[in-house]
Amino acid sequence: MLKSGSIKRVRKLIGEQKAKGHTIGLVPTMGAFHKGHLSLIEKAAKECDFVVVSIFVNPAQFAPTEDYHIYPRDLNRDCRLAEESGTDLVFAPSAETIYPNGYSTYMEIGEIANILEGKVRPSHFRGVTTIVAKLFNIVQPDKAYFGQKDAQQLAIITKMVRELNYPIKVIPCPIVRDENGIALSSRHKYLTPPQMKKAIGIYISLKEGVKLIRSGISDFGSVRSLIIDMLNKYGLKRIDYVSFNKWDSLEPALKPDGKVLISLAVKLGNTRLIDNIIINPDTGL
Amino acid sequence: MLKSGSIKRVRKLIGEQKAKGHTIGLVPTMGAFHKGHLSLIEKAAKECDFVVVSIFVNPAQFAPTEDYHIYPRDLNRDCRLAEESGTDLVFAPSAETIYPNGYSTYMEIGEIANILEGKVRPSHFRGVTTIVAKLFNIVQPDKAYFGQKDAQQLAIITKMVRELNYPIKVIPCPIVRDENGIALSSRHKYLTPPQMKKAIGIYISLKEGVKLIRSGISDFGSVRSLIIDMLNKYGLKRIDYVSFNKWDSLEPALKPDGKVLISLAVKLGNTRLIDNIIINPDTGL
């Protein structure tokens, strides 16, 4: 496996692959790998000739009050896991390489970036879309892999790719969960065992919501209340949102009509956890 | 010469050229060609195997009060001139193709877009950089050609390409002037013969400024006053700005130190005219 922090060298290595007619897959990450990340890499390795994994804790997507400085970093471990999962090239640049002195070019995505996570984290998606646009220009992949765990991110990147005409296919990847149904997250490292026990309630509550909709309750307002009740039962009381949105425009969804994203964010200590399910009540999926 | 308004077809035609190992040159334009545009196309034809000229009057770079609806359009004439100058493919999309319903992805460039032209035209460069980013993603050129007439645009695009890591070389092209020294502009169509006569004063005043700096006057404040006096003598009294900026950061320049952009904007009737000179007092250029 190759590894570089240099944009110039990465371009050269990828150029050699393109010259051979090889397809390029990109998995953009912030490192701190769990099985969710590795499932993206494995999928990319199956579908592409040459897999590039970027590892970069992107300061632009953290607010000054957030966990940029303590976000878990272990490049050696990540590189080992990346290699085992089928990575051909790790691109791990420094912050100075990505945002040199005087840097001021960002993406502006519109209302879809101001709701849900964007409401709580106002400049988060500006940072996400900017780093992804830069990675797209550096790596020029045929396909780019994003987890559904960050569903709003997936919807926003899909919109950006479509609207800016990037010749790239965005590949959504399913959420990977632990044996208790908890969606894997690098931020679980911040949680105590009792907090992890509470976190089990997140997916159970989401599934309860899905069950209610399947049983014929078509008023999402009621479903929302019942999900919140269930979260509370698990001791999850600091709820940022429980939301129903059309997939993938993220317009508000009031009742079953096409694909619906049910998403939520809760706080446990200083840690925010998010999770979601996308359902299609019309087709029963 | 090929011609298309379809992104899909343009991608296909360019893909065929790339597969042959041909280099791609892009000349982004709003049509209404004069010799300035044609000099860009000719330069691209000399330097690249396959020249793409985009013709698109970009609504996103006009304010509602500006001349979007009356901007001169003559696609047949433009295509003829483009072909004569060495164009291989004209890309002339509709506004709906470029900005489909619900479109909301834009570039955000920072302070460099808020000064000079950006001060008078607040969302102008947001529109310019967005269409150029889209054209870069559609055409994926090796080189892109921009006239120095729009010096701030050239500086901003250069910055965007550098900061977003586009693998594209921005090629600046010198201003083309008529026999009276007036920088060619598609907006001259709006001017009466007496207004065109006044416009002669613009370049004469700029050159007077350069002469003063060369003669040893190093205080740009004084040079600015003298340029304004000279503009006034030619009946040019509605001056938006006469400005000295470091090239190409566009930071304010107070005295000779490296390359300096001397730029100005004046109004004649409802028409704004811009012109500039880039000098390097250190080297005498």
Side-chain angles (χ1 to χ4, degrees):
Chain A
M1 187 186 72
L2 300 158
K3 198 191 128 188
S4 178
S6 153
I7 292 172
K8 202 174 159 188
R9 173 142 171 81
V10 161
R11 275 200 215 285
K12 190 174 167 285
L13 292 167
I14 292 168
E16 287 165 11
Q17 294 297 322
K18 291 201 168 227
K20 290 183 200 164
H22 287 177
T23 58
I24 312 293
L26 170 66
V27 184
T29 82
M30 300 210 300
F33 289 161
H34 52 62
K35 284 184 187 162
H37 298 104
L38 303 182
S39 74
L40 269 61
I41 299 174
E42 285 158 13
K43 193 171 166 71
K46 261 187 216 143
E47 298 182 356
C48 304
D49 298 319
F50 191 79
V51 175
V52 182
V53 173
S54 64
I55 300 180
F56 180 64
V57 184
N58 176 30
Q61 71 190 67
F62 290 81
T65 53
E66 291 180 350
D67 55 341
Y68 173 64
H69 290 289
I70 59 160
Y71 195 86
R73 288 164 172 89
D74 189 343
L75 191 55
N76 288 335
R77 175 181 174 275
D78 287 340
C79 282
R80 183 171 51 75
L81 293 171
E83 181 159 24
E84 287 170 12
S85 305
T87 303
D88 296 294
L89 167 62
V90 163
F91 174 46
S94 69
E96 295 68 33
T97 298
I98 294 297
Y99 302 113
N101 208 10
Y103 188 94
S104 70
T105 306
Y106 294 92
M107 297 292 134
E108 185 192 306
I109 302 295
E111 191 48 28
I112 192 172
N114 299 335
I115 58 172
L116 302 173
E117 289 300 292
K119 203 167 173 180
V120 185
R121 312 180 69 186
S123 65
H124 175 66
F125 289 114
R126 176 181 183 262
V128 168
T129 49
T130 299
I131 186 65
V132 169
K134 284 171 66 78
L135 290 169
F136 283 175
N137 292 339
I138 293 167
V139 175
Q140 300 198 275
D142 299 281
K143 296 181 177 181
Y145 296 79
F146 295 89
Q148 191 201 301
K149 162 91 185 312
D150 295 297
Q152 188 178 8
Q153 170 177 286
L154 173 61
I156 287 173
I157 301 277
T158 302
K159 181 178 165 79
M160 177 181 85
V161 164
R162 188 176 62 234
E163 296 199 340
L164 287 185
N165 309 106
Y166 273 103
I168 294 169
K169 203 167 172 193
V170 172
I171 311 290
C173 302
I175 297 176
V176 177
R177 301 180 181 279
D178 71 10
E179 63 284 6
N180 295 315
I182 303 177
L184 298 186
S185 163
S186 303
R187 290 188 167 100
H188 288 163
K189 287 174 188 160
Y190 304 150
L191 297 183
T192 63
Q195 286 174 330
M196 277 302 276
K197 207 170 164 187
K198 285 186 185 174
I200 297 172
I202 295 173
Y203 187 49
I204 293 175
S205 303
L206 276 172
K207 280 196 296 186
E208 182 64 19
V210 172
K211 208 172 98 185
L212 291 166
I213 295 168
R214 296 254 161 84
S215 77
I217 300 185
S218 65
D219 166 28
F220 287 164
S222 312
V223 180
R224 187 175 173 277
S225 299
L226 291 163
I227 290 176
I228 290 173
D229 289 347
M230 181 76 84
L231 289 168
N232 288 341
K233 270 189 207 159
Y234 279 84
L236 298 159
K237 308 222 164 161
R238 293 158 64 212
I239 300 166
D240 270 350
Y241 60 81
V242 173
S243 186
F244 298 76
N245 298 75
K246 295 183 185 177
W247 186 256
D248 59 354
S249 71
L250 301 196
E251 286 164 25
L254 303 176
K255 52 182 177 50
D257 177 19
K259 283 191 183 174
V260 175
L261 168 71
I262 312 176
S263 66
L264 61 79
V266 298
K267 270 190 198 150
L268 274 169
N270 293 319
T271 308
R272 281 179 86 246
L273 296 178
I274 59 173
D275 198 354
N276 69 82
I277 295 183
I278 298 172
I279 57 163
N280 193 339
D282 296 344
T283 61
L285 292 171
Chain B
M1 187 185 72
L2 301 158
K3 200 189 127 187
S4 179
S6 153
I7 292 172
K8 201 174 158 188
R9 175 147 169 77
V10 161
R11 274 202 216 282
K12 188 172 168 287
L13 293 167
I14 292 168
E16 288 166 10
Q17 295 297 319
K18 292 202 167 225
K20 290 182 199 165
H22 287 178
T23 59
I24 312 292
L26 170 66
V27 185
T29 81
M30 300 209 301
F33 290 160
H34 52 62
K35 285 182 186 163
H37 299 103
L38 304 181
S39 74
L40 269 62
I41 300 173
E42 286 159 11
K43 192 171 168 69
K46 262 187 213 141
E47 297 180 358
C48 304
D49 298 319
F50 191 78
V51 175
V52 182
V53 173
S54 63
I55 301 180
F56 179 64
V57 184
N58 176 30
Q61 71 189 70
F62 290 82
T65 54
E66 290 181 350
D67 55 343
Y68 173 67
H69 290 289
I70 59 161
Y71 195 86
R73 287 163 173 89
D74 188 343
L75 191 56
N76 288 335
R77 175 181 173 275
D78 286 340
C79 283
R80 184 170 50 75
L81 293 172
E83 181 159 24
E84 288 169 12
S85 304
T87 303
D88 296 293
L89 167 62
V90 163
F91 175 45
S94 69
E96 293 69 34
T97 298
I98 295 297
Y99 302 113
N101 208 10
Y103 188 93
S104 70
T105 307
Y106 294 92
M107 298 290 135
E108 185 193 307
I109 301 296
E111 191 47 31
I112 192 172
N114 299 335
I115 58 173
L116 304 172
E117 288 300 292
K119 203 169 173 178
V120 185
R121 311 180 70 186
S123 64
H124 176 64
F125 289 115
R126 177 181 181 263
V128 168
T129 48
T130 299
I131 185 66
V132 169
K134 284 171 66 79
L135 290 168
F136 283 175
N137 292 340
I138 294 166
V139 174
Q140 299 197 274
D142 300 280
K143 296 181 177 182
Y145 296 79
F146 295 89
Q148 190 201 301
K149 163 87 184 315
D150 295 298
Q152 187 178 8
Q153 170 177 286
L154 173 59
I156 287 173
I157 302 276
T158 302
K159 182 178 165 79
M160 178 181 85
V161 164
R162 187 176 63 236
E163 297 199 338
L164 287 186
N165 309 104
Y166 273 105
I168 294 170
K169 204 167 172 194
V170 173
I171 310 290
C173 302
I175 297 175
V176 176
R177 300 179 181 280
D178 72 8
E179 63 282 7
N180 295 314
I182 303 177
L184 299 186
S185 164
S186 303
R187 290 189 168 99
H188 288 163
K189 287 175 187 158
Y190 304 149
L191 298 183
T192 63
Q195 286 173 328
M196 277 301 276
K197 208 170 166 186
K198 284 186 185 175
I200 297 173
I202 295 171
Y203 187 48
I204 292 174
S205 303
L206 277 172
K207 280 196 297 186
E208 183 64 18
V210 173
K211 209 171 98 187
L212 291 165
I213 295 167
R214 297 253 160 83
S215 76
I217 300 183
S218 66
D219 164 30
F220 286 165
S222 312
V223 179
R224 186 174 175 279
S225 299
L226 291 162
I227 290 175
I228 290 173
D229 289 348
M230 181 74 84
L231 288 168
N232 288 341
K233 269 189 206 159
Y234 278 84
L236 298 158
K237 310 222 160 159
R238 293 158 62 211
I239 301 167
D240 270 348
Y241 60 82
V242 173
S243 186
F244 298 76
N245 298 75
K246 294 182 187 178
W247 185 255
D248 58 356
S249 71
L250 302 195
E251 286 163 26
L254 304 175
K255 54 183 175 49
D257 177 20
K259 282 191 184 176
V260 175
L261 167 72
I262 312 176
S263 65
L264 61 79
V266 299
K267 272 192 197 149
L268 274 169
N270 292 320
T271 307
R272 282 180 85 247
L273 296 178
I274 59 173
D275 200 354
N276 69 81
I277 295 182
I278 298 171
I279 57 163
N280 191 338
D282 297 344
T283 61
L285 291 172

